[in-house]
Amino acid sequence: MKQFQYTIKDPLGIHARPAGLLVKAAKELDSTVTISNAAGKSAAATKLMALMGLGIKGGDTVTVAVEGGDEDAGLTAMKHFFEENL
């Protein structure tokens, strides 16, 4: 498993539009992607409602874990996604 931490720059946090884009990006990977908030709650990046249920706001730091499949490529793709969209 590979992981990284990211501080959300979007002032609205992970709301409907970026959450939908994240789900789409995660489903394209050969790995399982899990997002965890500071409180320790986590959700699969392929589950839209679970992601939104984490209540991640702008300025929050999340942990993104990529496991299985091609972890290196998945980690790179997720880092790029977060930097471009969140």
Side-chain angles (χ1 to χ4, degrees):
M1 173 173 57
K2 300 202 179 231
Q3 60 185 22
F4 68 94
Q5 290 193 322
Y6 184 80
T7 301
I8 303 299
K9 293 174 180 55
D10 185 326
L12 298 175
I14 298 183
H15 55 94
R17 185 191 55 78
L21 294 173
L22 177 56
V23 167
K24 185 177 178 183
K27 285 183 177 180
E28 293 175 359
L29 300 177
D30 192 30
S31 307
T32 302
V33 180
T34 307
I35 312 295
S36 303
N37 65 11
K41 285 180 60 181
S42 63
T46 55
K47 307 286 185 192
L48 179 65
M49 296 311 288
L51 273 176
M52 293 180 62
L54 292 176
I56 298 168
K57 306 288 183 216
D60 289 356
T61 299
V62 296
T63 301
V64 181
V66 180
E67 187 173 10
D70 189 354
E71 291 178 353
D72 292 324
L75 188 74
T76 301
M78 283 292 102
K79 279 184 180 179
H80 180 72
F81 176 86
F82 273 77
E83 289 166 2
E84 292 291 316
N85 298 288
L86 293 167

